[in-house]
Amino acid sequence: MTKDSTPKSGYSRRDALRLMAAGGIACFAAPNLLGKPAFADTANPTGRVVVGLSQEPTVFHPLMAHIEVDDAVHFSLFDALFRMDPKGVLQPNLAAEVPTQQNGGISEDGLKWRVRLRDDVRWHDGEPFTAEDVKFTLELITNPNFRAWRTGGHSLVRDITVVSPTELTWRMEEAFAPYLSFLTETFMVPKHILEKEADPNAAAFNQAPVGTGAFKWAQRVAGDHLELVANPQYFGDGPYVERLVFKYIPDMTVLYTQFKSGDIDLTDQAYITADHYEEAKTLPGRVVTLVSGASVESIYLNLEKPQFKDPAVRKALYAAMDRKAIIDAIYYGVGTLTETFMPRTSYYYNPNLPAQEFNLDRARQILDEAGWVPGPDGIRAKDGVRLSFANSTTSGNNLREQVQQFLQQTFAEIGVEMTISNLPAAVMFGEFWLKSQFDSAIAGVTHLIAADPDATNRLATSAIAAKGGKGSNVGQYSNPEVDALLKKGAQTFDPEARREIYSRIQEIVREDLPFLPLFASTYVVGRKEGLEGWEPNSNTRTASWHAAGWRWQS
Amino acid sequence: MRGFLLNRLSQSLVLLLIVSVIGFVVLNLIPGGPLAQFGLDPSMTQDDLNRLKEQLGLNRPLWMQYLDWAWRLVQGDWGHSFRDGAPVLDVIGRHLVATLLLMGSSTVIAIAIGTWIGIRGATHRYSVFDYLATVGAMVALSIPTFWFGLVGIYVFSLRLGWLPAGNMYTIGDGSALNYLHHLIMPSIVLALVHVAIWSRYMRTATLDVISQEFVKTARAKGLSERRILMKHVVGNALLPMITLAGMQLPSVLTGALVTETVFTWPGMGRLFLDSLGYSDYPVVMGLLMFSAILVVLCNLIADIVVAIIDPRIRLS
């Protein structure tokens, strides 16, 4: 049975607000009842789920620098104060309610925060979870000796005060609305274990973590798999399976083969490749689902290169991209057309942007009008600048390489020369990418952090690392209006007001075309028939974001 | 003997020093670096990356990093993996057992079958068997191992369902029989190439010995062909094989990259590939030094063994 559960974007603003309010009220009224399972449900978790991953999870301290694949483990072992549900709505997790300006959890100026916690949570070793743990966690992140993953947002937190074991307050250096979302990916760690460690980077905890999550650490066979066992004392819903195994299978074809042969029950990152989708759908006893991802596959243009400074060139290139053919012919129909960096599943997605139209004549006309004249070799030039550039992507990714060859041919038809220069991923995403050393590059890029619409790190002028900035605006895009809107958006807490701001940003970016979107990423997730409770959530980076709810059909 | 050993040891130390310097410099010259894995993460700012770089000691001059690393190495501290923070020797140790199992079994298969084919091919020169062995060896050497691996998985796992498609054991079943079941296909696939190599070397070595005067003498004395083969030919033909084994032994301990990837075998070859992919410098350097030491040691041992067995060779 094949089920397409691609989330739809028709999730209204009113629905979101209603859900946020309902969640908050329900939790405030009865914190211990929310998500509390019926005893019989989880008294006897049974069975085992083997999740296939194409990279090996190696970082188990959830606050240390890590990559996406480690999230699968963190989400099962730990809890954050809040959780981002599949609809992009914040739900309380360790917190009893989501603080808002309406419920008084966040002051009107956005600077004073108060968080109330559940009173029924225990660490895996039986110790109670309290506000002291939250304070310890937030302070550890900004400890200069600690190899923290990210300090953005956390570095604004001041004067953390523990009011009671279930309540704490802090002050923000400046109003920063995305912090609520950041906290959904900030997993709490136990103070009573980590405060004894002289070096938090080398703590024994890092190899045998203790959390509050639905699963407890069991064992790791390095280079092969790691095993978690059910936490019967879990405060939330579940767990229903006794063992959760994350199996590392480095080769994508082998990963698919093992899914086919039944060795793995669910494919998490990097999922099933698009070229196997058609066959995977027909496999007996398997359910294959297309899931929208948060990243957008795009051609990134280095706007400091003279060829790309002219907006006409960017517009012409965009018009010369037969995106539909790329999705259908190269990506086997897996992928969705998009005009923006915002995921289609986001509450802040702007559906009213002008649709790109593949039209080579139009592309030629734009270039003609802008004064780009074909030279003797057929390649256009203007003011001594040839319309020629290199395109780079990760070598070994055969689908991306086919896209390059396809584009190379169509661009040549409008008098544009594109050469191909690929690099291994470990090289490409180093300084070459971060310090904008490329002409143009194809990559699947996520703009959002934990589903918050703030894209400052990717779009703000202050985020251009090549010019000494702090973020990862690798295309070196700079637009004062976008800068101002981003600043305003980060300081606005009202979702409705934010929606307007980010819709406008999307409009401007669509007009400026600092990067050329190819398609919104779509993952092919396969699972064994009978594995229930699995739900896609493009607001997290892992398909295993809620393993607590998985169960085998009896 | 003592002089020989001291001489060889001092040469080996110089060699290891050269290997370590070249390895360290080349590794650090590759653009990208360990922080490239965070390149696509929108949440990591340039400040965060700079902070990590400093914490890992990567912002120091290269010579300083090398001296620090080498000094620790001499003291027995091989450093910590950038990826999981575990000591490098622990990381290598964790993968060594898997590699020993796979490479050990495939080497035993390769030596046993390869030696037999080589001797039989030499004693039955230009027979149908000899031709078949020659063609078979060429095929095994020409076709990439991963092809044999994938065909094996398709036929024996997906079609017939006789053997597992990969992994070292079924999760939840750690019995010896289960390990053995998983070992069959990868070790046979891996042995194919080595059988070919061993059979060709053994054939040449046997032919070499057969043409020697002492074999003719033995024949003139009226000894049976079987006795001549067992007593005079095989023993002597195996001598150069000891050197070959000495050269191949390091690979037994450092793993087979392709086979380990196809069969999802958590061995040293895959560790090397993964560590290189993440620019996990301490582990890559650890593996490099580990295999360099093995090569030096195994060659030394092979030389000594040959000298002991063959009185014609004098260590002095």
Side-chain angles (χ1 to χ4, degrees):
Chain A
M1 188 183 79
T2 305
K3 186 182 154 205
D4 185 344
S5 67
T6 307
K8 303 288 182 288
S9 60
Y11 189 66
S12 80
R13 163 179 80 189
R14 193 164 293 168
D15 287 344
L17 290 171
R18 199 176 291 146
L19 260 166
M20 285 178 203
I25 292 165
C27 298
F28 184 70
N32 295 345
L33 293 178
L34 186 90
K36 193 78 183 166
F39 179 71
D41 273 346
T42 52
N44 284 312
T46 49
R48 181 181 61 219
V49 176
V50 182
V51 180
L53 298 163
S54 67
Q55 287 174 295
E56 187 186 6
T58 53
V59 180
F60 309 116
H61 191 313
L63 307 177
M64 287 182 86
H66 63 270
I67 54 172
E68 276 179 287
V69 75
D70 298 302
D71 283 2
V73 184
H74 298 165
F75 271 91
S76 305
L77 283 173
F78 296 94
D79 289 293
L81 292 177
F82 319 112
R83 178 183 287 154
M84 194 66 87
D85 77 6
K87 287 176 175 156
V89 179
L90 283 166
Q91 302 289 352
N93 189 6
L94 288 170
E97 61 178 347
V98 177
T100 60
Q101 287 174 323
Q102 286 75 31
N103 68 18
I106 299 172
S107 63
E108 277 306 309
D109 58 3
L111 298 178
K112 288 191 184 108
W113 290 46
R114 186 195 65 222
V115 176
R116 292 201 178 106
L117 306 171
R118 299 178 67 115
D119 61 2
D120 58 345
V121 181
R122 287 188 175 272
W123 294 102
H124 293 155
D125 62 3
E127 289 291 314
F129 161 78
T130 71
E132 289 290 350
D133 293 307
V134 180
K135 182 173 190 275
F136 177 81
T137 300
L138 298 182
E139 285 173 347
L140 177 62
I141 295 169
T142 48
N143 176 345
N145 298 320
F146 179 61
R147 276 180 216 153
W149 176 28
R150 61 176 178 220
T151 53
H154 300 293
S155 56
L156 300 172
V157 176
R158 303 277 184 279
D159 310 331
I160 305 172
T161 310
V162 173
V163 179
S164 76
T166 55
E167 188 175 332
L168 75 162
T169 60
W170 66 75
R171 181 174 66 80
M172 298 292 283
E173 190 64 23
E174 61 183 74
F176 187 59
Y179 194 49
L180 270 174
S181 296
F182 282 27
L183 285 171
T184 66
E185 287 184 354
T186 305
F187 294 100
M188 295 298 131
V189 294
K191 180 188 178 188
H192 68 280
I193 294 175
L194 287 167
E195 70 179 345
K196 295 173 195 154
E197 297 286 348
D199 179 6
N201 300 311
F205 169 90
N206 302 358
Q207 300 299 323
V210 173
T212 57
F215 291 90
K216 296 196 279 189
W217 181 263
Q219 64 154 343
R220 176 187 179 211
V221 178
D224 192 65
H225 72 274
L226 65 92
E227 210 168 329
L228 311 181
V229 288
N231 169 18
Q233 271 77 50
Y234 185 53
F235 64 88
D237 183 19
Y240 301 100
V241 290
E242 193 188 356
R243 278 175 192 278
L244 181 62
V245 177
F246 292 100
K247 170 84 184 139
Y248 163 50
I249 303 161
D251 186 274
M252 298 293 288
T253 308
V254 179
L255 188 132
Y256 174 65
T257 309
Q258 296 212 6
F259 170 65
K260 208 167 146 180
S261 67
D263 289 300
I264 56 173
D265 303 314
L266 177 89
T267 59
D268 202 323
Q269 290 153 38
Y271 310 100
I272 294 170
T273 48
D275 46 347
H276 284 126
Y277 175 53
E278 281 304 316
E279 189 200 299
K281 278 196 297 187
T282 63
L283 295 176
R286 306 285 184 275
V287 185
V288 175
T289 316
L290 290 181
V291 176
S292 292
S295 71
V296 176
E297 186 90 352
S298 307
I299 302 180
Y300 273 77
L301 307 172
N302 185 349
L303 301 183
E304 283 302 309
K305 300 280 172 185
Q307 304 91 312
F308 300 129
K309 275 189 191 277
D310 185 349
V313 170
R314 308 198 295 264
K315 281 189 182 126
L317 290 178
Y318 198 40
M321 282 163 54
D322 190 353
R323 304 191 303 166
K324 181 94 178 56
I326 288 172
I327 295 174
D328 292 343
I330 300 175
Y331 279 87
Y332 300 84
V334 177
T336 316
L337 287 173
T338 187
E339 299 296 339
T340 175
F341 59 89
M342 196 69 76
R344 296 177 72 88
T345 47
S346 171
Y347 172 68
Y348 302 91
Y349 171 75
N350 182 346
N352 304 316
L353 300 172
Q356 177 256 16
E357 191 193 341
F358 169 60
N359 188 335
L360 288 178
D361 289 333
R362 175 82 191 117
R364 284 188 202 101
Q365 191 192 344
I366 296 170
L367 290 173
D368 288 341
E369 284 168 5
W372 290 90
V373 186
D377 56 355
I379 306 302
R380 291 171 188 267
K382 181 183 173 184
D383 303 333
V385 177
R386 273 180 95 232
L387 199 35
S388 167
F389 59 91
N391 184 267
S392 306
T393 194
T394 45
S395 48
N397 185 326
N398 61 327
L399 298 184
R400 278 186 181 154
E401 284 168 352
Q402 285 175 44
V403 171
Q404 286 179 312
Q405 288 156 18
F406 182 83
L407 288 173
Q408 191 177 40
Q409 287 167 23
T410 41
F411 285 166
E413 288 180 44
I414 60 165
V416 174
E417 182 183 61
M418 183 179 107
T419 54
I420 296 170
S421 168
N422 293 343
L423 298 161
V427 177
M428 165 137 173
F429 294 114
E431 300 226 317
F432 181 74
W433 171 258
L434 292 167
K435 293 280 173 75
S436 311
Q437 291 166 356
F438 56 89
D439 285 356
S440 71
I442 298 181
V445 175
T446 311
H447 278 68
L448 312 187
I449 302 169
D452 190 88
D454 179 38
T456 305
N457 277 350
R458 293 276 189 224
L459 299 173
T461 308
S462 60
I464 303 173
K467 292 179 183 167
K470 288 184 169 184
S472 43
N473 181 353
V474 297
Q476 311 201 56
Y477 175 57
S478 179
N479 182 318
E481 194 184 347
V482 170
D483 288 343
L485 285 166
L486 285 169
K487 198 169 177 191
K488 193 175 165 196
Q491 292 173 345
T492 307
F493 286 81
D494 174 27
E496 206 169 332
R498 295 188 91 197
R499 184 134 115 163
E500 271 175 37
I501 295 167
Y502 291 102
S503 284
R504 177 68 191 135
I505 291 174
Q506 291 172 74
E507 272 173 29
I508 302 169
V509 171
R510 171 64 185 83
E511 176 61 26
D512 286 350
L513 287 172
F515 52 87
L516 314 174
L518 279 161
F519 54 83
S521 62
T522 302
Y523 305 124
V524 184
V525 183
R527 66 182 200 276
K528 232 177 235 175
E529 217 165 53
L531 178 61
E532 293 184 341
W534 176 80
E535 202 181 350
N537 185 349
S538 63
N539 302 305
T540 63
R541 306 196 298 175
T542 169
S544 307
W545 69 282
H546 187 47
W550 297 351
R551 71 186 93 196
W552 287 108
Q553 194 176 36
S554 49
Chain B
M1 181 78 171
R2 204 169 149 194
F4 167 81
L5 275 178
L6 281 175
N7 191 21
R8 285 297 298 270
L9 276 174
S10 57
Q11 281 176 5
S12 305
L13 283 176
V14 174
L15 189 72
L16 290 177
L17 184 73
I18 294 170
V19 167
S20 71
V21 172
I22 293 175
F24 201 91
V25 172
V26 168
L27 194 61
N28 280 275
L29 282 182
I30 301 170
L35 301 181
Q37 56 182 312
F38 305 118
L40 277 180
D41 189 334
S43 62
M44 294 209 82
T45 64
Q46 200 58 41
D47 282 356
D48 285 334
L49 293 172
N50 290 342
R51 177 176 44 79
L52 282 172
K53 207 169 178 177
E54 198 183 321
Q55 286 170 340
L56 294 172
L58 296 168
N59 56 345
R60 297 173 299 166
L62 198 56
W63 63 267
M64 211 185 266
Q65 290 182 48
Y66 174 78
L67 285 183
D68 183 42
W69 170 82
W71 177 238
R72 284 166 187 265
L73 191 81
V74 172
Q75 293 172 307
D77 176 5
W78 289 47
H80 288 72
S81 162
F82 285 164
R83 286 175 70 202
D84 64 6
V88 168
L89 283 178
D90 282 7
V91 175
I92 292 176
R94 283 177 199 161
H95 291 77
L96 193 60
V97 179
T99 289
L100 272 176
L101 256 178
L102 175 62
M103 301 297 284
S105 61
S106 79
T107 306
V108 169
I109 295 171
I111 292 179
I113 299 176
T115 309
W116 176 75
I117 292 176
I119 295 170
R120 200 179 150 83
T123 51
H124 298 75
R125 206 146 51 127
Y126 308 128
S127 65
V128 176
F129 178 89
D130 191 29
Y131 280 123
L132 281 178
T134 307
V135 172
M138 274 176 62
V139 170
L141 283 171
S142 315
I143 295 175
T145 321
F146 75 83
W147 187 85
F148 284 118
L150 291 176
V151 169
I153 290 172
Y154 179 74
V155 175
F156 297 106
S157 306
L158 296 179
R159 285 276 154 214
L160 301 171
W162 292 350
L163 294 168
N167 307 327
M168 205 161 98
Y169 60 97
T170 310
I171 292 162
D173 179 1
S175 66
L177 204 66
N178 191 268
Y179 274 91
L180 199 67
H181 195 207
H182 282 78
L183 198 57
I184 297 171
M185 195 152 53
S187 50
I188 289 177
V189 165
L190 194 57
L192 280 175
V193 177
H194 294 284
V195 165
I197 296 171
W198 272 89
S199 66
R200 299 317 292 164
Y201 271 104
M202 196 62 203
R203 184 178 180 276
T204 311
T206 311
L207 282 176
D208 202 33
V209 177
I210 284 174
S211 63
Q212 299 275 328
E213 293 296 326
F214 68 88
V215 176
K216 287 178 190 162
T217 311
R219 218 169 254 147
K221 276 160 70 182
L223 290 178
S224 70
E225 278 300 312
R226 188 181 169 76
R227 198 174 154 79
I228 293 168
L229 189 71
M230 299 310 290
K231 194 170 165 60
H232 298 286
V233 177
V234 173
N236 283 299
L238 277 173
L239 273 177
M241 293 296 114
I242 295 171
T243 314
L244 180 67
M247 281 159 63
Q248 288 208 332
L249 195 61
S251 77
V252 172
L253 293 165
T254 50
L257 207 144
V258 175
T259 312
E260 287 181 356
T261 302
V262 171
F263 290 99
T264 49
W265 199 268
M268 304 277 281
R270 223 174 69 182
L271 174 68
F272 184 69
L273 193 69
D274 283 357
S275 305
L276 213 51
Y278 285 97
S279 302
D280 192 350
Y281 299 156
V283 176
V284 176
M285 279 310 293
L287 286 169
L288 189 71
M289 293 314 290
F290 180 74
S291 63
I293 292 170
L294 279 176
V295 169
V296 166
L297 263 182
C298 291
N299 277 319
L300 188 66
I301 292 168
D303 283 355
I304 295 170
V305 171
V306 169
I308 291 169
I309 295 173
D310 190 348
R312 289 172 299 179
I313 296 170
R314 284 286 160 261
L315 291 175
S316 55

